[in-house]
Amino acid sequence: MVKKLTKKVMSAAVVTAAALMMTACSTNKNSSKGTHQDDKTVKIGVNMELSGGAAGYGNAQKQGIQLAASEINKSGGINVNGKKKKIKLIVRDNKTAISTSASVAAQLVNKDKVAAIVGPATTNAGTAEIPNITKAAVPSVSPSATDPDYTKQKNGKVQPYVFRACYQNNFQGQIAAKFAENTLKAKNVAVFADNSSDYGTGLAKAFKKEFKGKIADSQTYSEGDKDFNAVLTSFKSKKVDAIYVPGYYTEVGLIIKQARQNGIKAPIIGSDGMADPKLAEIAGAKNASSIYYTTPFSIKVAEKNPTAVKFMNAYKKRYNEQAPTFSALAYDSVYMIKQAIEDQKSDDSVKVATGLKHIKDFDGVTGKITVNNSHDPEKPIAIEQMTNGKVNKYYNIK
């Protein structure tokens, strides 16, 4: 408490000075919200699964991120209100662990003072970082967190600093169900979902809700499982027309292999977690036929997009391999952050979030992107068909 003044009347000058001091304190407090960059660089953090169960996706995304940052820096950097500033990537491994993802986010926003974060790849790791990035007012763009509730708070309001470059599970599951019914003419379908995360279970729920035919059977498996023969034998006895298998390529590849070895010739439909060349390696090229999966980045579609062609050529030159879907999504995530900074003419993290919120008709390698009110991208989707281990056809869904 302030001691009572001995004089009854305080001079007007003192009152004025006190008011000015209070205003200054208030202004400084408000201006300190978020993180601020130096005159030469824009620090972008990477909170990514570089080891552990989702390392295949994380490392593919890391390559897309590094390619984007390298291109931007070679062209002079990000234009921040007339000044070109280079990107400084700060890459940290969350080890596909929820607790590690939270601590990585804390380091990036509190110690490294990044303007924005790319990642994590998975919904669970992404959700774990939200309290720390929200407290620090630093936006994060996940290339591939697909759970419908990822960008929402428990009260239904949007998470102010959470964005993504991929679709929700609901959308993918609905598209797969319509494709099975309308294109493949399947009437009797089995569902075999990964129950290790919200990814597989969410996709399965959306598929079953949308599919108008009969769900002959619905089973689950867990990350790391190797033997699926018992469930597949049951599916075979039910003479299913197709099997919907939402999950990641590590297990889905084995499911495809064992299904074909069991004499199941029915189409196998999945999600973007299958969109990796390793799927065919695990399944075996001869087994990987009549395989379909939803994807935000189809090579066949991308060949008609000049922005995507430029990306694919640059990726091939740098890494000597075909660009996978997850690299494309991460590449777009970096360029979305660049666009947000340039639109707002500021790399302060709060302004970056505002810029991301207002992205419209962004020319990405995965298609034109507009960020909606839920911080989700509105963009095209495709279904790729695999025959003998190679993508030989695509269906452009509008």
Side-chain angles (χ1 to χ4, degrees):
M1 294 178 66
V2 180
K3 291 182 180 180
K4 184 180 286 189
L5 295 173
T6 56
K7 293 183 179 180
K8 293 182 179 180
V9 181
M10 183 185 289
S11 70
V14 175
V15 173
T16 303
L20 289 172
M21 287 177 65
M22 289 175 67
T23 302
C25 289
S26 175
T27 302
N28 288 338
K29 184 177 180 181
N30 290 334
S31 65
S32 67
K33 185 179 181 183
T35 59
H36 313 282
Q37 305 301 297
D38 61 31
D39 291 335
K40 295 182 179 180
T41 59
V42 177
K43 290 182 285 187
I44 296 178
V46 180
N47 183 357
M48 196 57 68
E49 292 83 335
L50 303 178
S51 60
Y57 302 104
N59 283 289
Q61 292 188 13
K62 178 185 174 184
Q63 292 188 167
I65 292 165
Q66 291 175 325
L67 175 59
S70 175
E71 286 181 354
I72 293 167
N73 286 343
K74 284 180 181 178
S75 68
I78 299 177
N79 186 350
V80 185
N81 198 23
K83 180 181 288 186
K84 287 280 191 174
K85 297 170 71 170
K86 299 291 182 72
I87 291 175
K88 180 180 179 181
L89 290 179
I90 300 175
V91 182
R92 297 189 183 276
D93 180 13
N94 64 41
K95 302 180 182 179
T96 319
I98 293 173
S99 59
T100 307
S101 178
S103 63
V104 163
Q107 286 181 298
L108 289 172
V109 299
N110 297 322
K111 178 184 176 182
D112 302 316
K113 302 291 185 182
V114 299
I117 293 173
V118 179
T122 60
T123 297
N124 287 356
T127 301
E129 80 168 3
I130 291 176
N132 287 330
I133 67 171
T134 302
K135 184 177 180 180
V138 175
S140 174
V141 182
S142 172
S144 54
T146 55
D147 184 79
D149 293 331
Y150 176 62
T151 58
K152 296 183 181 68
Q153 299 179 26
K154 288 182 179 180
N155 60 11
K157 293 182 179 180
V158 68
Q159 294 280 6
Y161 296 98
V162 180
F163 300 83
R164 54 180 153 198
C166 54
Y167 335 97
Q168 296 185 15
N169 288 338
N170 285 355
F171 183 56
Q172 285 199 76
Q174 291 164 3
I175 292 296
K178 291 177 181 177
F179 179 80
E181 185 177 348
N182 300 330
T183 303
L184 299 182
K185 307 299 181 185
K187 297 179 180 179
N188 193 43
V189 173
V191 176
F192 196 16
D194 180 356
N195 65 4
S196 303
S197 70
D198 292 335
Y199 178 72
T201 55
L203 283 161
K205 182 179 179 181
F207 181 94
K208 288 188 283 188
K209 184 177 180 180
E210 184 69 29
F211 186 65
K212 300 298 189 294
K214 179 183 177 182
I215 302 296
D217 198 357
S218 182
Q219 299 291 335
T220 62
Y221 63 90
S222 298
E223 179 185 341
D225 285 355
K226 303 293 184 185
D227 187 353
F228 308 96
N229 285 289
V231 171
L232 291 170
T233 299
S234 174
F235 289 169
K236 184 179 180 181
S237 69
K238 292 179 172 63
K239 298 181 180 180
V240 296
D241 300 322
I243 305 173
Y244 183 56
V245 190
Y248 299 118
Y249 67 81
T250 42
E251 287 78 31
V252 179
L254 289 174
I255 290 170
I256 292 170
K257 182 177 182 178
Q258 292 171 27
R260 300 309 186 223
Q261 290 173 340
N262 274 284
I264 298 174
K265 297 180 180 180
I268 295 176
I269 311 163
S271 53
D272 59 351
M274 294 167 60
D276 191 285
K278 294 184 181 68
L279 178 78
E281 293 177 18
I282 296 169
K286 290 183 179 180
N287 297 319
S289 291
S290 293
I291 307 299
Y292 305 87
Y293 51 83
T294 49
T295 178
F297 182 68
S298 168
I299 297 295
K300 299 293 184 181
V301 175
E303 288 171 349
K304 300 178 182 180
N305 176 358
T307 302
V309 170
K310 180 183 175 183
F311 159 71
M312 290 189 293
N313 290 339
Y315 193 95
K316 179 76 172 178
K317 182 177 180 180
R318 183 180 178 111
Y319 300 114
N320 196 33
E321 62 182 16
Q322 180 176 292
T325 296
F326 291 91
S327 295
L329 289 166
Y331 180 93
D332 274 352
S333 299
V334 176
Y335 272 95
M336 287 170 68
I337 292 170
K338 174 180 181 290
Q339 185 72 52
I341 291 171
E342 293 183 340
D343 287 348
Q344 292 294 306
K345 299 180 180 180
S346 173
D347 53 14
D348 286 359
S349 63
V350 175
K351 289 285 190 179
V352 180
T354 300
L356 287 167
K357 185 170 65 174
H358 291 105
I359 281 179
K360 184 176 181 181
D361 293 331
F362 169 77
D363 187 19
V365 302
T366 59
K368 290 281 186 183
I369 297 172
T370 293
V371 175
N372 64 23
N373 291 335
S374 297
H375 293 185
D376 297 323
E378 295 177 354
K379 61 195 293 188
I381 189 170
I383 291 178
E384 289 191 331
Q385 176 180 322
M386 185 174 281
T387 302
N388 292 326
K390 295 187 179 299
V391 175
N392 67 321
K393 189 175 181 179
Y394 75 95
Y395 301 82
N396 199 6
I397 311 297
K398 297 182 180 179

